[in-house]
Amino acid sequence: MARKQETKTTTKKKTPAKRTTKKAVAEVKAPEVTVEEPKAEAVEEVKEEPKAEAVKEEVVEEPKYEAPPTSRRSVAFIGSECYPFVKTGGLGDVMYALPKALVKQNCDVKVIIPRYKCIPWKYQEKMVYRGSFQMNLCEDGRSFYVGIMEYVWDGVVYDFIDNEEFFSDGNPYTNLIDDIPKYCYFAKAALAALNYMNWVPDIIHCHDWQAALVPVYLRTLFENTKLTSAKTILTIHNLRFQGIYNIPTIRYWSGLPDYVFNKDALKVSYNDANMLKGGLTYANVITTVSHTYAGEIQTGYYGETLDAHLRYHSGKLRGILNGIDYDIWNTATDTRLYENYDLTNVLEKKRENKRRLQEELGLVQDDHKFVIGLISRLTNQKGLDLINAILPQIIDGNTQVVVLGTGDDIYENSFRYYENAYKGNVCSNIMYDETRAHRIYAGADAFLVPSQFEPCGLTQLIAMHYGTIPIVRETGGLKDTVEPYNVFYNSGNGFTFDRYESGLLLDAINRAKTLYFTDRWRWDEMLQRDMNKDFSWDSSAKQYKDLYLELTW
Ligand code: ADP
Ligand code: GLC
């Protein structure tokens, strides 16, 4: 591993911190609560809180309502990406939207992420230097610079861990050889930064393998620090990625004691260490992003070789569904749309959005064509093999397909091929583009998510919220959020299929087309039903808050 030793001793000028979060916690933190206090009552009390006022509590000294002081909790979110600073998929969305929703649930939230060089300058320039120190990291005591840059926004404090050697690549993730040391460093630096800032949260909420060593560090190298009082939660957003490398490398970079490299914790196969597995062992609670996925990952098919480990820890595993941020995803105010709309004018305005989308993408402009959207990372998780197998059968003269995504060459190239083969009816946008994504969600009639596995999936939620009918495979969060259309009861939210077979996907698409072309009244009713459904973070953030309370009474 050819990494130069970090010896940076930057002497940046210390700017006075705008807000001393520690103080904020101290002001509102509850007096010690006895264990006997009935939990149910406390939860009841939270329910009664007027949400809008809960936000005010941070600034108003004397709250006007009867807020139960015991219900406030402080939480440190630790993860590898966060919208709008850096996002490659749904993890970035959740790291942004959930903390914001938790602030409304009477939580004090700090989000800790790496300060990647690719974070746009408009955010970098607003960050305030909060301090820096040297941290021992490796087995041989090699130390590295840790800088903390802070940015406060919408009631959430963002602390960026600064180290140019680890975070100067164009992308957050490059290859495991670089990513393993990067996220060993990040996990330890996040805890060291909390210590440095003297901020001891009630809960440390970690996300995916990149932050999975946090609970391991907390219960080993940090066990004699103030932070040990914190409870840890590890959320699995995608079990496929685990951070596996040989034991000597991970032992060297993490500096973790030998005893964590055993079969109960990090060790897997003959001589490998699995960072996610270690985190699952040491975390107080494991969550994942839908109820169905929580069950699936305990099976051999979906368990990505960790199913037995997850079954062993099933007592502390639960599923909490993601939501979407209603400020960003709001058809009535979304400035990226050609035409804004709401339930009162959706049918007319969606037609206009479709027309303009067809125009912008060089598709045949025709209101009567059935436009199917697909916005996705182009990887085999997303069921793209099924789509590739049947695309010629989908394009029947009445149908158009719009793809937006980047990823594996094989999928990028096959979508480029189909665009050429069906010019005017297939448009493949091989790129990452937020504006285009918003316009496709609004302009398409239907939206494809035929995933092989899908922990939660946000795209089907956004599509429904934008009045676009999802066609999905019944797996993970797709199963939990898309109720199949029932022709007899005229109920449901979309079209679904179960086994991972291209014929079944084609059948689901054909059922959707049949309704669209032969019973538009019912199609329109369904899209209005979808727009009306609650996919906001409110209920899920409440479940996380209840979990925090449960862990810290
Ligand atoms: P995953 O996290 O597995 O990629 P999700 O459905 O949870 O899947 O979230 C994907 C998120 O990334 C959504 O917000 C989606 O709109 C966005 N997204 C994916 N690909 C693109 C792209 N090429 N351009 C813009 N947004 C994209
Ligand atoms: C992952 C999953 C996706 C989920 C997202 C946010 O990337 O693939 O299903 O919605 O994380 O939790």
Side-chain angles (χ1 to χ4, degrees):
M1 196 87 24
R3 265 195 191 284
K4 261 177 53 195
Q5 182 164 347
E6 176 64 84
T7 49
K8 201 160 152 188
T9 48
T10 320
T11 48
K12 288 178 193 156
K13 222 170 143 193
K14 190 163 179 166
T15 338
K18 266 194 179 157
R19 158 184 167 175
T20 50
T21 327
K22 170 71 187 162
K23 193 163 165 254
V25 176
E27 278 166 7
V28 290
K29 194 155 177 195
E32 281 295 319
V33 186
T34 54
V35 188
E36 294 84 55
E37 211 170 280
K39 282 178 201 169
E41 264 178 44
V43 175
E44 260 315 295
E45 284 176 319
V46 184
K47 267 190 205 152
E48 284 162 21
E49 273 178 51
K51 279 173 206 148
E53 288 190 21
V55 182
K56 276 190 221 154
E57 198 203 14
E58 278 190 53
V59 282
V60 182
E61 270 212 353
E62 295 247 324
K64 290 189 189 80
Y65 66 102
E66 294 278 295
T70 53
S71 73
R72 191 160 179 91
R73 288 294 180 273
S74 52
V75 192
F77 261 58
I78 304 179
S80 59
E81 55 182 88
C82 178
Y83 175 88
F85 313 111
V86 54
K87 164 179 160 183
T88 68
L91 171 63
D93 289 313
V94 175
M95 288 286 293
Y96 165 73
L98 179 54
K100 226 177 102 189
L102 284 167
V103 167
K104 294 187 193 148
Q105 295 288 337
N106 202 14
C107 285
D108 206 359
V109 196
K110 248 185 203 303
V111 176
I112 304 184
I113 61 165
R115 184 196 185 186
Y116 302 108
K117 206 172 179 178
C118 60
I119 294 175
W121 178 244
K122 62 177 176 181
Y123 301 115
Q124 302 253 16
E125 67 179 356
K126 289 188 192 131
M127 297 176 188
V128 174
Y129 175 74
R130 190 77 159 71
S132 64
F133 53 91
Q134 286 290 126
M135 176 185 79
N136 284 345
L137 178 68
C138 303
E139 208 175 12
D140 57 6
R142 200 164 142 187
S143 77
F144 289 86
Y145 169 86
V146 179
I148 309 168
M149 302 295 290
E150 197 163 274
Y151 178 48
V152 185
W153 182 30
D154 268 352
V156 178
V157 180
Y158 296 88
D159 282 317
F160 296 85
I161 301 295
D162 186 23
N163 178 299
E164 280 191 10
E165 187 171 352
F166 286 115
F167 302 135
S168 60
D169 289 315
N171 272 317
Y173 318 117
T174 42
N175 53 68
L176 271 189
I177 295 178
D178 289 329
D179 288 353
I180 294 284
K182 185 192 294 179
Y183 293 112
C184 286
Y185 163 85
F186 173 60
K188 189 167 184 189
L191 286 178
L194 287 174
N195 244 341
Y196 175 88
M197 292 185 284
N198 207 12
W199 200 75
V200 181
D202 298 309
I203 301 284
I204 300 181
H205 192 156
C206 316
H207 300 265
D208 273 353
W209 77 267
Q210 297 90 346
L213 285 191
V214 170
V216 187
Y217 278 120
L218 189 66
R219 302 290 169 233
T220 54
L221 303 182
F222 285 74
E223 69 185 343
N224 293 321
T225 68
K226 297 181 287 279
L227 289 176
T228 43
S229 62
K231 295 285 188 284
T232 54
I233 298 177
L234 178 54
T235 296
I236 303 169
H237 294 264
N238 193 330
L239 191 62
R240 177 148 292 178
F241 307 107
Q242 300 176 3
I244 303 176
Y245 219 79
N246 61 59
I247 290 179
T249 301
I250 294 190
R251 187 166 42 206
Y252 174 76
W253 280 102
S254 67
L256 281 165
D258 276 353
Y259 63 83
V260 305
F261 295 92
N262 68 54
K263 280 277 180 195
D264 291 334
L266 272 90
K267 188 172 177 183
V268 288
S269 57
Y270 175 64
N271 193 29
D272 283 340
N274 180 327
M275 288 164 59
L276 182 70
K277 180 169 175 256
L280 297 173
T281 304
Y282 280 91
N284 293 103
V285 166
I286 305 166
T287 69
T288 187
V289 288
S290 69
H291 181 71
T292 295
Y293 194 60
E296 286 174 342
I297 54 179
Q298 298 178 51
T299 68
Y301 185 80
Y302 291 102
E304 307 283 348
T305 72
L306 286 185
D307 47 302
H309 191 66
L310 286 161
R311 283 196 299 278
Y312 181 78
H313 288 288
S314 61
K316 60 172 184 179
L317 165 65
R318 62 179 83 173
I320 301 178
L321 202 61
N322 288 332
I324 52 173
D325 188 282
Y326 271 23
D327 294 330
I328 295 174
W329 302 107
N330 183 339
T331 52
T333 56
D334 189 339
T335 51
R336 290 175 157 126
L337 301 192
Y338 306 109
E339 293 272 345
N340 289 112
Y341 56 96
D342 55 31
L343 268 172
T344 61
N345 58 5
V346 52
L347 301 180
E348 170 204 337
K349 297 289 182 183
K350 235 178 124 58
R351 209 173 308 126
E352 188 54 32
N353 275 297
K354 174 161 144 181
R355 222 174 269 154
R356 300 277 301 277
L357 181 71
Q358 289 170 323
E359 184 186 7
E360 181 176 325
L361 301 185
L363 294 169
V364 176
Q365 238 180 321
D366 183 348
D367 289 356
H368 300 104
K369 299 245 181 192
F370 181 64
V371 176
I372 303 178
L374 169 79
I375 301 173
S376 179
R377 285 183 294 115
L378 302 180
T379 69
N380 68 352
Q381 170 191 344
K382 300 292 180 178
L384 306 169
D385 296 312
L386 301 189
I387 300 176
N388 273 335
I390 57 163
L391 211 123
Q393 287 153 279
I394 301 177
I395 304 299
D396 55 5
N398 298 313
T399 308
Q400 296 180 333
V401 173
V402 176
V403 177
L404 173 64
T406 56
D408 299 350
D409 286 349
I410 181 170
Y411 301 118
E412 292 192 350
N413 291 336
S414 64
F415 284 124
R416 283 193 186 106
Y417 164 81
Y418 281 126
E419 173 174 289
N420 266 323
Y422 300 98
K423 268 251 163 310
N425 285 316
V426 175
C427 178
S428 301
N429 304 273
I430 306 302
M431 59 176 79
Y432 188 93
D433 186 331
E434 291 279 351
T435 300
R436 191 149 291 181
H438 284 240
R439 292 178 174 175
I440 296 172
Y441 285 121
D445 295 299
F447 194 88
L448 276 190
V449 200
S451 308
Q452 206 174 70
F453 69 94
E454 197 60 74
C456 175
L458 300 176
T459 58
Q460 83 281 9
L461 302 182
I462 303 168
M464 286 190 272
H465 194 53
Y466 273 47
T468 303
I469 306 287
I471 302 172
V472 308
R473 179 163 171 257
E474 290 166 17
T475 182
L478 299 171
K479 186 170 178 183
D480 294 353
T481 55
V482 182
E483 187 196 327
Y485 175 66
N486 185 314
V487 65
F488 302 108
Y489 298 115
N490 190 29
S491 64
N493 309 104
F495 294 86
T496 70
F497 63 102
D498 52 11
R499 291 189 310 283
Y500 191 72
E501 289 173 19
S502 55
L504 296 184
L505 169 62
L506 184 60
D507 177 60
I509 294 172
N510 285 338
R511 277 184 278 130
K513 281 186 194 175
T514 306
L515 191 73
Y516 181 84
F517 287 115
T518 65
D519 203 347
R520 182 65 68 84
W521 174 257
R522 290 190 159 199
W523 177 276
D524 290 345
E525 271 185 346
M526 175 150 54
L527 77 81
Q528 290 172 55
R529 215 164 33 241
D530 285 2
M531 281 183 75
N532 232 344
K533 218 175 155 178
D534 183 11
F535 297 117
S536 73
W537 268 104
D538 293 348
S539 126
S540 303
K542 170 82 172 56
Q543 290 177 56
Y544 278 110
K545 175 67 188 298
D546 287 347
L547 176 60
Y548 299 161
L549 292 175
E550 193 182 312
L551 276 172
T552 52
W553 277 123

